[in-house]
Amino acid sequence: MKTISENRSFGGTQGVYSHDSSATGTEMTFGLFLPAEAQDGPVPVLWFLSGLTCTHANAMEKAGAQSWAADHGIAVIFPDTSPRGEDVPDDDAYDLGQGAGFYIDATQEPWSKNFKMWTYIADELPALVGEKFPLDMGSQSITGHSMGGHGALTLAMALPGRFRSVSAFAPICNPTNSDWGRKQFAAYWGDEDNWGPHDATLLMQGNGFDGPVLIDTGTDDQFGDLLGTAALASAMVERRQEGHLRMQKGYDHSYYFISSFMEDHIIFHAEALYK
């Protein structure tokens, strides 16, 4: 693992690191904020999964998570959204290829060699950070934005017992019924019969999540028709899922929206992580 940068931030350290990934076959970069409490021992962990076109840097630099995480003694991990490099397949469209890993493992060429983001986020990166940093990997929560909200919700429900709480900002909630999902699943997995259960609405209809859920979406989200929020809301009601789904008046899909409610999400996760 290489240290790219480390900067003092709200009494803690905001670092950026890279490593060779066996899952993706590429060098991967991630950000990690460690609060001051990490100097004295392992601290709870919050994962932030970013959306389409983003790298590790977008949320790290724009979401404003560090100040609130420092207040509650929580580490925040900011992974990248896909493998990258000259030899990594890509597409001219912004919503496929590099920057659009969708947090799944591709099985179709040319994507299957490198696009193994489920394995990377679920297995490889947690093992790495748990070994290298003072993190309490028994106390984890997860959040994300848009495509990353999709990833956060599906990881939380598909890995029971891993996360104590899950939240999302404007998540893609029903990708199997959206152009933000069907297009990518078809490219990465091929025929629809091969699609995995990586759909938050379908997972909610199944086992749901054994813990609290918080979802915020703006009423003026310019991508609202692609998110499938109503489908997930209905599934949560039918399952009687513990949680809150809030429609925030006048907010759009941007990081201005995310930073406006980041404090709420950090407090929400802190209550679960320290319960």
Side-chain angles (χ1 to χ4, degrees):
M1 191 182 71
K2 303 173 185 176
T3 300
I4 297 175
S5 63
E6 289 183 333
N7 299 96
R8 193 73 167 163
S9 177
F10 295 98
T13 302
Q14 177 61 64
V16 178
Y17 310 93
S18 67
H19 68 105
D20 291 331
S21 167
S22 59
T24 68
T26 66
E27 185 176 59
M28 296 293 291
T29 302
F30 66 93
L32 169 63
F33 172 74
L34 287 173
E37 289 83 350
Q39 298 176 24
D40 301 319
V43 295
V45 179
L46 176 63
W47 295 81
F48 190 109
L49 306 186
S50 289
L52 287 167
T53 75
C54 291
T55 70
H56 71 281
N58 294 75
M60 185 183 78
E61 296 173 355
K62 298 178 181 179
Q66 291 88 344
S67 63
W68 310 116
D71 286 346
H72 296 278
I74 296 171
V76 186
I77 301 172
F78 305 94
D80 203 348
T81 58
S82 78
R84 300 180 189 275
E86 292 183 2
D87 296 329
V88 176
D90 201 6
D91 190 272
D92 291 338
Y94 75 96
D95 57 354
L96 186 67
Q98 296 187 36
F102 261 77
Y103 303 100
I104 63 176
D105 283 356
T107 60
Q108 298 295 303
E109 296 291 345
W111 314 104
S112 57
K113 179 181 178 181
N114 305 114
F115 281 72
K116 303 291 186 182
M117 289 303 293
W118 179 272
T119 296
Y120 178 69
I121 297 294
D123 299 324
E124 184 177 14
L125 188 55
L128 175 69
V129 296
E131 175 187 355
K132 298 293 186 180
F133 299 98
L135 302 174
D136 181 359
M137 301 306 287
S139 186
Q140 299 183 66
S141 291
I142 191 167
T143 187
H145 171 230
S146 194
M147 179 185 71
H150 144 77
L153 291 167
T154 56
L155 281 157
M157 286 187 275
L159 299 173
R162 173 77 65 92
F163 302 104
R164 297 193 180 185
S165 53
V166 60
S167 74
F169 299 87
I172 300 172
C173 302
N174 194 198
T176 57
N177 284 312
S178 168
D179 287 342
W180 272 359
R182 294 190 64 83
K183 171 184 176 179
Q184 294 80 7
F185 289 3
Y188 296 147
W189 282 332
D191 188 85
E192 190 167 350
D193 292 339
N194 299 323
W195 294 4
H198 291 266
D199 183 308
T201 296
L202 300 182
L203 289 166
M204 183 61 68
Q205 291 170 345
N207 294 327
F209 179 63
D210 186 19
V213 178
L214 173 63
I215 296 172
D216 279 317
T217 297
T219 61
D220 289 1
D221 193 307
Q222 58 270 46
F223 304 109
D225 291 343
L226 295 168
L227 300 180
T229 308
L232 179 60
S234 295
M236 290 177 67
V237 170
E238 291 173 7
R239 179 154 189 85
R240 297 183 180 272
Q241 172 68 46
E242 174 190 4
H244 298 276
L245 195 158
R246 310 186 302 189
M247 299 302 298
Q248 300 291 359
K249 184 174 176 60
Y251 285 89
D252 59 17
H253 203 73
S254 70
Y255 271 90
Y256 297 109
F257 156 64
I258 298 171
S259 61
S260 296
F261 297 100
M262 180 56 70
E263 180 183 10
D264 288 0
H265 285 243
I266 296 290
I267 292 172
F268 165 77
H269 290 298
E271 291 175 351
L273 289 168
Y274 284 107
K275 186 175 182 180

